Amino acid sequence: MIGNRSTKKMMRWTIIITLLIFILLTVRIAYLQFIEGPELKAKAYQQQTSDRNVNPKRGTIYDATEQKILAVSSTVDTITINPTTIKEKEKVAKKLSELFDLDYEKTLKKVSKRSSIEIIAKKVDKEKANELRKWTMENNIVQGINIDEDTKRYYPFNNLASQIIGFCGSDNQGLIGLEAKYEDILKGSKGQVSKITDASGKKINDTSEEYVKPTDGDSLVLTIDANIQGIAEKHLKEACIDNVCTDGGNIIIMNPKNGDILALAGYPDFNLNEPFTVDESLSKEEQNKQMQALWRNKAISDTYEPGSTFKLVTASSALQEGITTTDREGEFCCVRIYRCCWYENKMLEIL
C-alpha cells in the first residue's frame, strides 16, 4: 500500500511538472511568435539575404534650347565584396589594390572582415571593371566580388555656368547650385539586388537574385541659353583680367519681356568636373576658403550698391512730380554721375 501511494504521488508530481513545463514552453513560443516575431523576422531576413543598392541616373540638365546638355549622368561601376565568401584573401586584396590604386593593407583589412558587404571602389570606368571581370574568370573566382552598375555626373562644358549648375558628391547627391536646389527632382530612387545566402554569406544554390530596377530622375530645362552664357563669360573674363578686378565680376542678362534669365556669368569660375581642385601650395584652411569663394554665386548671394539701375527711381520721381514728361528727345543727358542725372543743366539728386 505504501509503495502504491509513493508511486501515485510521484506520477502526480511528474504530470504536474510536465504540464508546467508545457505551459511555460507554450507561453515562450507565443511570446516569440507574436511579440518578438516581427523583429526576429527582420533580423533573419537581414542575416539570410545580401542586398546591394543600384544607383539611378540623375536627370539631365538642358539649356533653354533643349539642344545643349549642361549636366548628364554616365554609366560607370561600383566594386563591392562579400569578405566571408572570399578564400584567397591576399591574392584578391593584391589585385584590387593594384587595379584601383588602393593601399594594400587597407584593402586586405576589408577583404578579411566578417561582414556581408564592403565597398572597394566607386565610379569605376568600364575598362577597369571589364579587366576585373576577366581576372576573376581566369582565376576561377565565382563569388565574393560584385560589379554593380552605377552612375557618374559629367559636365560636357566644364566651366560653363559652373556657379549656377553646381555639382554632386561621390554619392551622387547635389551639393551646391541647381544640383542641390532640385535634388528631389533630379535624384530618382535607388534599385536593389538581393540574394539568399547561408550563415557564412555564400549564395544558396538553386536560388535566384531579385533585381529591383532603379527609377531615373527627371530632367531639368533652364532659361539659360548656353550660347549667350558662353559669350557673357568670355567677355566678363577679359574685362576682369584687363581691368585687374581682384574680386572678379558678374553679368546678368535677362529677357525683359518675361523675366527669363538668359545668362548669369561669374568670374572667377571653376571646372565642374574637378570642383575640389585648388592651389595645393595653400594650407587646408586657405584651400577651403578658395573653394568656397569659387563656388559662391555672388550675383545672387552678395549685396551691392544698385549703381545706374537706380536712375530709374530718379526718372520716375521726375515724372511723378511733373518736372518732365515722357518721350522728350535730348532732355536727359547721363554723364556717369553716380545716383544722379542731369535735366536742363540741373542735377537731379535721389531723394
Side-chain angles (χ1 to χ4, degrees):
M1 294 294 292
I2 295 175
N4 290 337
R5 288 178 183 177
S6 298
T7 302
K8 289 180 179 179
K9 187 175 181 180
M10 185 178 296
M11 290 178 64
R12 184 166 57 249
W13 279 108
T14 301
I15 293 171
I16 292 172
I17 291 171
T18 302
L19 286 174
L20 286 173
I21 293 173
F22 179 77
I23 292 171
L24 289 173
L25 289 174
T26 303
V27 171
R28 179 60 177 169
I29 292 171
Y31 177 79
L32 293 174
Q33 179 69 29
F34 300 108
I35 305 300
E36 292 191 345
E39 182 180 353
L40 293 174
K41 182 179 179 180
K43 288 182 177 179
Y45 177 83
Q46 185 177 7
Q47 186 182 48
Q48 296 165 6
T49 58
S50 175
D51 297 331
R52 307 193 307 274
N53 289 327
V54 180
N55 289 325
K57 283 189 176 181
R58 285 178 70 85
T60 303
I61 299 179
Y62 297 92
D63 81 334
T65 66
E66 298 187 43
Q67 301 299 315
K68 301 285 181 63
I69 294 177
L70 304 179
V72 66
S73 290
S74 57
T75 302
V76 290
D77 288 302
T78 290
I79 312 300
T80 61
I81 59 170
N82 184 344
T84 57
T85 61
I86 296 176
K87 296 179 180 178
E88 301 177 85
K89 299 185 183 297
E90 291 81 6
K91 182 178 180 180
V92 171
K94 182 180 180 181
K95 182 60 180 178
L96 292 175
S97 60
E98 290 176 352
L99 186 58
F100 303 115
D101 298 323
L102 303 172
D103 181 85
Y104 171 74
E105 294 299 332
K106 291 182 179 179
T107 306
L108 181 60
K109 188 175 180 180
K110 285 186 176 182
V111 175
S112 303
K113 282 186 176 181
R114 296 180 61 84
S115 59
S116 60
I117 191 78
E118 289 291 330
I119 297 174
I120 295 298
K122 292 183 177 181
K123 317 300 181 188
V124 174
D125 293 335
K126 287 294 182 181
E127 292 76 9
K128 287 193 174 183
N130 290 335
E131 185 178 342
L132 179 60
R133 288 189 180 96
K134 182 180 178 181
W135 181 82
T136 55
M137 292 177 64
E138 291 175 348
N139 291 269
N140 196 31
I141 300 175
V142 296
Q143 59 183 4
I145 299 178
N146 309 308
I147 303 174
D148 295 318
E149 186 176 289
D150 199 354
T151 61
K152 180 181 180 180
R153 205 59 164 165
Y154 174 65
Y155 304 93
F157 294 98
N158 294 322
N159 293 47
L160 185 74
S162 57
Q163 292 155 348
I164 303 173
I165 299 171
F167 56 88
C168 297
S170 59
D171 57 354
N172 286 325
Q173 181 181 7
L175 297 182
I176 67 168
L178 296 177
E179 291 278 27
K181 176 67 176 179
Y182 294 99
E183 171 70 13
D184 292 339
I185 294 174
L186 293 166
K187 69 178 181 180
S189 58
K190 291 184 177 182
Q192 195 174 64
V193 177
S194 301
K195 64 180 180 181
I196 301 175
T197 61
D198 58 18
S200 64
K202 296 179 181 179
K203 182 181 177 181
I204 298 176
N205 294 330
D206 301 324
T207 60
S208 60
E209 289 187 341
E210 181 181 352
Y211 176 71
V212 179
K213 186 178 180 180
T215 302
D216 294 339
D218 294 325
S219 295
L220 200 63
V221 179
L222 310 184
T223 63
I224 297 294
D225 186 306
N227 291 327
I228 299 175
Q229 179 75 24
I231 293 170
E233 290 185 3
K234 175 186 175 183
H235 289 289
L236 175 61
K237 181 179 180 180
E238 292 175 352
C240 288
I241 293 174
D242 293 343
N243 295 278
V244 195
C245 299
T246 55
D247 292 333
N250 296 93
I251 293 177
I252 301 176
I253 301 177
M254 178 188 291
N255 184 342
K257 295 180 180 180
N258 56 18
D260 285 353
I261 303 299
L262 303 179
L264 200 160
Y267 181 82
D269 52 26
F270 62 97
N271 189 337
L272 287 169
N273 293 302
E274 298 176 351
F276 299 98
T277 300
V278 291
D279 188 350
E280 295 182 356
S281 64
L282 300 175
S283 65
K284 291 294 183 182
E285 184 178 353
E286 290 174 333
Q287 287 181 8
N288 185 57
K289 287 182 179 180
Q290 187 180 68
M291 284 189 292
Q292 294 297 329
L294 290 174
W295 299 345
R296 186 177 181 83
N297 191 340
K298 295 181 180 180
I300 61 175
S301 300
D302 291 7
T303 57
Y304 53 92
E305 295 181 354
S308 293
T309 59
F310 210 80
K311 291 175 182 177
L312 292 172
V313 178
T314 307
S316 299
S317 299
L319 291 170
Q320 183 177 346
E321 298 299 323
I323 298 174
T324 185
T325 59
T326 59
D327 299 328
R328 293 174 64 175
E329 185 178 354
E331 187 172 47
F332 287 89
C333 177
C334 295
V335 291
R336 296 185 180 180
I337 297 177
Y338 200 58
R339 290 189 179 180
C340 64
C341 201
W342 289 94
Y343 168 68
E344 293 184 351
N345 297 322
K346 295 180 181 180
M347 187 175 68
L348 301 177
E349 295 183 353
I350 297 173
L351 301 178

